[in-house]
Amino acid sequence: MKLATLKQGGRDGTLVVVSRDLALCATAPRAAPTLQAALDDWPASEHELREIYRLLNFRQLDRAQPFEPAAAASPLPRAYQWADGSAYLHHAELVRKARKAEMPQSLYSDPLMYQGGSDNFIGPADDILAADEAWGIDFEAEIAVITDDVPMGVAPDAAGKHIRLVMLANDVSLRNLIPGELAKGFGFFQSKPATAFSPVAVTPDELGEAWDGGTVHLPLVCHVNGREFGRPDAGRDMNFDFPALVVHAARTRALAAGSIVGSGTVSNRNPEIVGSCCIAERRMIETIAEGTPKTPFLRFGDRVRIEMFDAQGRSIFGAIDQQVAPYRGPPA
């Protein structure tokens, strides 16, 4: 099943069910007005949502309308929790190798995770706004899951049962602001602007054999200005799968329905073949090989596209397709 949120209808938008081919959508007023409402009472809403999905796919729903990704907000326009991990340790290893630092051994047994801003996500076709190119604007292509209510201290073999939906993410980073923030010892804040998610979120069964209960075994395809930047396989080199990330996030507190847990930048150990899912990783590889980075960070007017395709070449989640634009300040 595929679900999306249209921007119309207030801060939390309007929930729609989307056909498998992403062509049609329909509201589900009896099931839930918003995705958060559906997640709050998933056992009651899921059956009707799946019935609408079935009718859409068979073109048997008279009130269906075309689905326009540009009209979509992120599936959850705001969320109670956005916890982003760093599950692909190859990425972390490159960061440290480029600056000639040792990799902490604890990262191999305990996931790295930060709490991102979840009060205001942006839509998959919305601009990436920044006031200054000198901030080092970068995209980060990731996989993310949405949970139902997760109890504190959830067991590893139970954590996967709480994953209700899967989607893509662009967790934008302002790379040149990060060092100063981390030096204060309190983590990211200004260096992590609003995150965008894919037009649709899908139930894990929609992924078929590509979903093994904890990872998505498909390439995540990234383009910058129309040129392919990377297509690493999200199912390879993931040191901590999603149940492990959920366990980590819920170790000392419960997670509310609608919590989002991210994988961190998808990264494979052969980037010379499959490319990268962020500019910083390519710059680190260049620094290690040549002593200095060559690839620039994003500039105003640049466009980033992030998408995943099934074995038949069909888009699963729709595309995150964003342009970098200057922020002109708040309205007068």
Side-chain angles (χ1 to χ4, degrees):
M1 177 169 59
K2 300 190 176 188
L3 302 175
T5 295
L6 301 183
K7 292 180 178 180
Q8 65 195 48
R11 287 180 181 267
D12 296 303
T14 300
L15 174 66
V16 290
V17 184
V18 181
S19 61
R20 181 171 286 118
D21 62 4
L22 306 178
L24 299 175
C25 68
T27 57
R30 289 190 303 173
T34 67
L35 180 54
Q36 182 62 54
L39 291 161
D40 284 339
D41 195 8
W42 189 257
S45 61
E46 182 184 15
H47 176 75
E48 183 172 346
L49 293 173
R50 286 191 178 274
E51 177 59 14
I52 295 171
Y53 186 59
R54 185 186 70 82
L55 294 173
L56 278 173
N57 288 330
F58 282 102
R59 302 300 195 260
Q60 294 176 346
L61 196 65
D62 292 339
R63 58 187 177 85
Q65 60 187 30
F67 177 61
E68 301 291 346
S74 282
L76 284 171
R78 54 181 176 171
Y80 291 112
Q81 178 82 258
W82 164 222
D84 196 19
S86 184
Y88 297 86
L89 292 185
H90 175 253
H91 181 75
E93 290 166 354
L94 283 175
V95 171
R96 283 155 180 80
K97 186 174 181 181
R99 65 175 191 241
K100 298 181 172 57
E102 292 293 323
M103 181 80 164
Q105 288 304 304
S106 61
L107 291 186
Y108 292 99
S109 58
D110 197 33
L112 188 66
M113 186 171 285
Y114 84 95
Q115 191 170 38
S118 61
D119 55 319
N120 184 32
F121 299 130
I122 57 177
D126 291 349
D127 287 344
I128 299 169
L129 296 176
D132 193 341
E133 288 180 339
W135 286 350
I137 308 161
D138 197 1
F139 73 97
E140 290 192 63
E142 307 184 11
I143 313 295
V145 299
I146 304 176
T147 73
D148 60 12
D149 290 300
V150 182
M152 175 175 153
V154 66
D157 60 352
K161 299 173 185 176
H162 293 282
I163 295 172
R164 294 303 183 194
L165 296 166
V166 184
M167 56 186 178
L168 308 182
N170 182 13
D171 181 44
V172 176
S173 289
L174 303 176
R175 298 293 185 184
N176 293 336
L177 300 186
I178 288 176
E181 287 203 303
L182 294 185
K184 296 177 182 179
F186 227 41
F188 305 123
F189 197 86
Q190 293 178 342
S191 53
K192 285 292 187 177
T195 303
F197 295 93
S198 50
V200 303
V202 310
T203 49
D205 61 285
E206 193 69 28
L207 297 168
E209 294 181 355
W211 175 254
D212 65 3
T215 58
V216 182
H217 292 269
L218 287 168
L220 184 55
V221 184
C222 306
H223 286 82
V224 176
N225 295 329
R227 299 183 64 179
E228 186 173 301
F229 198 87
R231 55 169 57 239
D233 191 315
R236 288 180 49 207
D237 303 320
M238 189 179 190
N239 296 75
F240 303 100
D241 64 11
F242 280 108
L245 294 174
V246 170
V247 167
H248 181 82
R251 182 185 179 192
T252 61
R253 51 179 156 169
L255 305 181
S259 291
I260 304 172
V261 178
S263 67
T265 306
V266 175
S267 179
N268 288 169
R269 292 188 177 276
N270 57 340
E272 69 282 354
I273 298 173
V274 300
S276 300
C277 278
C278 72
I279 293 172
E281 182 170 294
R282 180 172 289 185
R283 285 169 61 89
M284 287 181 275
I285 294 167
E286 292 168 346
T287 298
I288 292 167
E290 305 172 38
T292 184
K294 302 275 194 282
T295 304
F297 288 120
L298 297 172
R299 299 189 173 107
F300 297 144
D302 287 346
R303 182 169 290 278
V304 174
R305 186 178 179 93
I306 301 168
E307 200 163 8
M308 181 173 277
F309 302 90
D310 64 17
Q312 287 72 46
R314 298 169 298 199
S315 183
I316 299 171
F317 304 92
I320 299 173
D321 193 347
Q322 300 179 278
Q323 189 169 34
V324 182
Y327 177 61
R328 302 300 186 185

